[in-house]
Amino acid sequence: MPRRFLRIGALAIAASWVTFGAPHDASAQGSMRGIRGGVGMDTTGELAYSAQIEINDFGDGGSAELAIGVFGAGSAERYRRTRNSRVNEYREQTSVAGLGLMANYLFMHSPESRAPYLLLGVGLGALDVDWTIESPGDTAVGPPLPGGGFSNTEDGIVLGSMVNVGIGLRLHDNADLRAQALTMLVSSTEAREDLKFVPALTLTAGLGF
């Protein structure tokens, strides 16, 4: 796990420097830079997190936001499947730490407004995925476990996409809060054949400058 955070953190710093490092006159362009971070829960009840460096371009009916973010969450699944006329039980766990480029649109968002605003966005990024599947009776899953059953694991970086939905409230010219649901779409691999959806609900605080 520490190596995962080091890898994602190093990529985030490098990407942020390239994208946001060049100086510009933000106020003259009707835009604002900012940083944001917060924590929440995933569907398993475990800790989820989200942080980003962002640029907001203010418009008449809302704002366009470009951000580089890091995020993490997990998911768990239990299901049954018939194989060779036998019903087997399965348990899958997927843990994701990612770095991505997000493009969001903030409806009813402006520097003067203190009303709630709606956020919709999509993104693309590198996802460090730790995946495990276990079955008590299906020998095709993988190697046998010491206590019985069979298991297979995979840990690697894949290209994935993100969908972001949230609601926010500007508390000050340079500060706001957001409750957002970020869903990571983890692409399949040879070992893990299906697409994974890993959602996380977080509360983040943002500071503009």
Side-chain angles (χ1 to χ4, degrees):
M1 186 65 71
R3 281 192 298 173
R4 165 181 288 191
F5 290 134
L6 287 174
R7 284 187 298 192
I8 297 298
L11 287 171
I13 293 171
S16 301
W17 176 264
V18 172
T19 306
F20 301 105
H24 69 286
D25 186 356
S27 60
Q29 297 179 10
S31 62
M32 178 182 293
R33 292 176 175 177
I35 57 175
R36 177 177 306 280
V39 296
M41 290 176 48
D42 58 27
T43 55
T44 68
E46 299 294 328
L47 179 70
Y49 63 88
S50 175
Q52 68 184 38
I53 300 174
E54 61 196 34
I55 293 179
N56 283 290
D57 187 11
F58 299 112
D60 294 335
S63 302
E65 179 180 274
L66 182 67
I68 290 178
V70 293
F71 37 82
S75 67
E77 302 172 73
R78 290 182 180 271
Y79 57 92
R80 293 181 177 181
R81 181 177 297 167
T82 302
R83 186 193 294 271
N84 298 327
S85 301
R86 178 178 177 179
V87 178
N88 293 293
E89 295 184 351
Y90 302 88
R91 181 174 184 268
E92 291 189 48
Q93 286 187 302
T94 307
S95 176
V96 180
L99 164 70
L101 180 65
M102 298 292 302
N104 301 315
Y105 191 80
L106 284 56
F107 298 87
M108 300 176 292
H109 179 267
S110 69
E112 301 82 13
S113 175
R114 296 295 180 268
Y117 63 86
L118 176 67
L119 175 150
L120 296 175
V122 294
L124 187 68
L127 307 180
D128 190 357
V129 183
D130 186 0
W131 171 78
T132 302
I133 183 172
E134 296 180 359
S135 175
D138 189 353
T139 59
V141 165
L145 294 169
F150 305 88
S151 176
N152 195 9
T153 63
E154 185 179 56
D155 185 4
I157 296 178
V158 300
L159 182 65
S161 55
M162 294 80 69
V163 177
N164 199 19
V165 179
I167 186 169
L169 179 65
R170 289 180 63 84
L171 305 176
H172 186 267
D173 289 347
N174 299 319
D176 76 346
L177 291 176
R178 286 184 194 171
Q180 57 189 45
L182 175 67
T183 301
M184 291 161 273
L185 283 67
V186 183
S187 57
S188 61
T189 64
E190 185 175 349
R192 178 178 41 77
E193 298 178 352
D194 56 338
L195 177 71
K196 294 296 180 186
F197 294 83
V198 183
L201 180 63
T202 60
L203 180 65
T204 64
L207 180 64
F209 54 89

